[in-house]
Amino acid sequence: MNNSKTPKQLAERWNCSANTVRNLIFAGELHAFRIGEKLIRIPVEAIEEYEKCANS
């Protein structure tokens, strides 16, 4: 079971650009982790928490 998304996958879900997702990560507003030097993954739990806060 895949418990994380790429910035591109999340951008498609949120109808925005992958750069917008990356900017949220780099600003510390969205939790993510790296796999190696380049690959970024966002845990589903972090996505759900962000969406919960954004909708309240």
Side-chain angles (χ1 to χ4, degrees):
M1 184 158 133
N2 188 354
N3 289 329
S4 63
K5 302 288 182 196
T6 66
K8 181 179 177 185
Q9 290 169 327
L10 185 54
E12 290 172 0
R13 174 174 171 160
W14 286 353
N15 196 29
C16 65
S17 73
N19 281 337
T20 298
V21 174
R22 287 187 196 93
N23 288 339
L24 289 170
I25 294 166
F26 297 144
E29 297 181 37
L30 180 62
H31 174 70
F33 61 93
R34 287 193 178 271
I35 301 174
E37 290 185 31
K38 293 189 176 187
L39 300 177
I40 299 172
R41 295 294 181 268
I42 305 104
V44 170
E45 296 82 14
I47 296 167
E48 292 170 352
E49 182 66 25
Y50 186 88
E51 290 173 342
K52 179 180 167 186
C53 291
N55 290 328
S56 58

